Amino acid sequence: MEGMRIAFQGTEGAYSEEALLKTFPGATPLGFPTFHQVFEAVEGGEADLGVVPVENTTAGSINQTYDLLLESDLHVVGEIVHRVEHCLLAPKGTELKELKAVKSHPQALAQCDGFLARLRLTPIPVFDTAGAAKSLAEAPEPGVGAIASRRAADLYGLEILAENIEDYPHNYTRFFVISREEAKRGEGPHKTSIVFAVRHRPGGLLEALSAFAEAGVNLTKLESRPRRDKPFSYLFYLDLEGHVEDPGPAQALLTLLRRAAFLKVLGSYPAYKNGG
């Protein structure tokens, strides 16, 4: 992976960058302000891969990522699960009692909601955790801190006023690795991610989901999202165990294709193994 260009949303020191460097040592991270630009960079060949967050154990799914996966021709080729440890940062010499507000990404603020409430700190949402740290270092604001990583504190010369401030200790973010090409079938356990819509009739969702039970396929995630083209209609994002070429998943998806109004396979990829 030496020299591979991998796009992520954010600034140097972001958790997405940490996750990709952990998984792809020696890669060249390319930071972009928005998720749209990450997808565009991969689609246009500016980056070889992209790493985008899809869900957090505390704050839930990152809906924009799922929406972009639906619209894009890119494929999910891997997943990363990264432990997120938030720190409260401020310019050197700042004391905790001086803070009145804290800047960070909305997901990070949500993951530290209890901590912020206890200290009566006003959350200020910005586009990136590391970006919040960088802007605070470049233009300090009286009474304002940032929530970001230890690495961001080191990179931008900020002081850590509190560590591990997330509300729940098991705070993990799951990332998808996206590519222009589909992943090749490898060894070991795989997962497949899909999106589908059901026909508007009684029992439509039950009928669709029974395809997996009939084929003996285990589901690991199911989430609904509103359809943009049909008000008050929904799409269902689903993760299942196995590769699309395995007999069970292949049969389940064939059955689902007959029963669903719409089906798109986002990708089959190696399931994340604890420790890497």
Side-chain angles (χ1 to χ4, degrees):
M1 299 300 176
E2 189 73 34
M4 180 174 280
R5 301 161 302 162
I6 303 180
F8 70 97
Q9 187 272 324
T11 307
E12 186 180 10
Y15 294 105
S16 295
E17 187 196 39
E18 283 188 350
L20 78 84
L21 288 173
K22 178 184 75 171
T23 308
F24 303 103
T28 301
L30 302 175
F32 293 89
T34 68
F35 290 127
H36 279 95
Q37 289 169 296
V38 171
F39 276 74
E40 288 171 357
V42 180
E43 288 169 341
E46 185 179 352
D48 302 300
L49 298 173
V51 169
V52 288
V54 289
E55 61 180 320
N56 174 266
T57 50
T58 301
S61 294
I62 292 83
N63 294 326
Q64 189 179 12
T65 299
Y66 279 111
D67 291 340
L68 287 167
L69 285 168
L70 173 65
E71 299 165 3
S72 170
D73 291 328
L74 297 179
H75 306 277
V76 179
V77 297
E79 66 174 350
I80 303 167
V81 177
H82 183 64
R83 173 75 166 93
V84 175
E85 299 173 295
H86 291 304
C87 297
L88 179 61
L89 313 181
K92 291 190 183 297
T94 304
E95 294 186 19
L96 182 59
K97 63 183 180 182
E98 298 173 26
L99 292 186
K100 304 296 182 188
V102 176
K103 299 194 293 186
S104 196
H105 188 278
Q107 282 274 329
L109 294 171
Q111 292 162 28
C112 303
D113 182 65
F115 175 85
L116 297 176
R118 286 193 298 275
L119 295 184
R120 298 185 178 179
L121 297 173
T122 301
I124 303 174
V126 295
F127 79 93
D128 176 36
T129 54
K134 183 179 180 182
S135 66
L136 188 64
E138 293 174 346
E141 302 174 55
V144 178
I147 293 175
S149 65
R150 292 185 186 88
R151 185 162 176 265
D154 293 339
L155 284 168
Y156 303 117
L158 296 174
E159 194 165 322
I160 298 177
L161 300 185
E163 298 183 77
N164 298 108
I165 63 171
E166 57 274 8
D167 293 335
Y168 300 98
H170 300 292
N171 188 36
Y172 291 85
T173 296
R174 180 182 177 220
F175 297 84
F176 275 158
V177 182
I178 54 175
S179 172
R180 292 182 298 279
E181 305 295 331
E182 294 183 66
K184 293 181 180 178
R185 178 73 163 92
E187 299 296 324
H190 280 66
K191 290 170 75 173
T192 298
S193 295
I194 67 170
V195 56
F196 67 95
V198 300
R199 303 184 192 284
H200 187 61
R201 63 190 183 201
L205 180 58
L206 177 61
E207 184 182 34
L209 293 177
S210 65
F212 300 98
E214 291 164 9
V217 174
N218 189 42
L219 307 183
T220 60
K221 175 171 179 157
L222 175 65
E223 179 151 348
S224 64
R225 291 279 298 132
R227 292 187 69 164
R228 294 181 176 180
D229 57 342
K230 290 186 179 180
F232 305 108
S233 295
Y234 294 87
L235 294 167
F236 297 90
Y237 289 85
L238 184 150
D239 293 344
L240 59 98
E241 291 181 349
H243 192 278
V244 70
E245 296 175 359
D246 294 341
Q251 180 58 51
L253 292 175
L254 182 60
T255 303
L256 178 61
L257 186 62
R258 296 193 192 105
R259 298 176 181 177
F262 163 81
L263 171 64
K264 179 182 179 181
V265 176
L266 301 176
S268 285
Y269 47 90
Y272 176 81
K273 294 186 224 176
N274 190 23

